[in-house]
Amino acid sequence: MENERVPVELDPEVALGLLDRAEFGRVAFLADDTPTIRPLNHVLLDGRIILYTRHTSALGRAVRRRAGLQVAYQVDEIEPRTRLGWSVLVTGTATDVSREPHATQIGLQVQSWMKHPLDMVIAIEPQTITGLRLTVGK
């Protein structure tokens, strides 16, 4: 009999550690009352997920329109052949922190895959952190 993949819940601190080592994730939010998901690079800094984007992006506009915008941020790493790996989901509030001291230097820590000029630093303050690791059961 083939080994079965088993999901194992992760402790929030372990989940954040996995998120910290990942290069990018996906942010989900409402933009003009439409569910929207965008891939973004990030860094984890002082317990917050830091994103660097454009103020004209869908996320930038949504954050400027609604202070404390509710978002979900998902990061995962699944090996295609074995389908083993992990997934982390953070829910929280997104805020424009571009005017905080050193915001530009913080934003520059995010290695964006986009080649557009970036001018808005967004911080996601986690409210819930969940994660699963897919392992082989016997």
Side-chain angles (χ1 to χ4, degrees), residues 26-39 58-59 61-62 65-66 69-72:
R26 291 163 296 283
V27 64
F29 57 98
L30 287 177
D32 299 322
D33 296 322
T34 301
T36 305
I37 300 172
R38 294 288 188 263
L59 178 61
R61 289 190 311 270
R65 285 184 186 142
R66 184 177 297 146
L69 178 71
Q70 290 292 307
V71 298

Side-chain angles (χ1 to χ4, degrees), residues 4-5 17 26 29 31 33-34 38 42 51 53 56 62 66 81 84 98 100 114 119 126 133:
E4 181 180 331
R5 284 180 298 283
R26 291 163 296 283
F29 57 98
D33 296 322
T34 301
R38 294 288 188 263
H42 67 270
L51 310 172
T53 189
T56 57
R66 184 177 297 146
R81 190 181 56 75
L84 298 176
S98 299
E100 285 187 8
M114 299 290 286
D119 58 6
R133 184 181 302 278

Side-chain angles (χ1 to χ4, degrees), residues 33-119:
D33 296 322
T34 301
T36 305
I37 300 172
R38 294 288 188 263
L40 286 168
N41 297 84
H42 67 270
V43 294
L44 190 64
L45 187 61
D46 297 328
R48 301 187 301 176
I49 300 166
I50 305 296
L51 310 172
Y52 198 33
T53 189
R54 293 172 292 135
H55 75 278
T56 57
S57 69
L59 178 61
R61 289 190 311 270
V63 167
R64 285 186 291 122
R65 285 184 186 142
R66 184 177 297 146
L69 178 71
Q70 290 292 307
V71 298
Y73 195 75
Q74 182 186 26
V75 176
D76 47 48
E77 185 177 285
I78 308 294
E79 204 284 319
R81 190 181 56 75
T82 64
R83 296 186 181 168
L84 298 176
W86 53 267
S87 181
V88 171
L89 179 65
V90 175
T91 59
T93 54
T95 306
D96 179 1
V97 295
S98 299
R99 294 178 187 220
E100 285 187 8
H102 311 295
T104 301
Q105 290 84 0
I106 291 169
L108 290 173
Q109 293 181 42
V110 180
Q111 298 296 313
S112 178
W113 58 278
M114 299 290 286
K115 295 299 179 198
H116 299 288
L118 306 175
D119 58 6

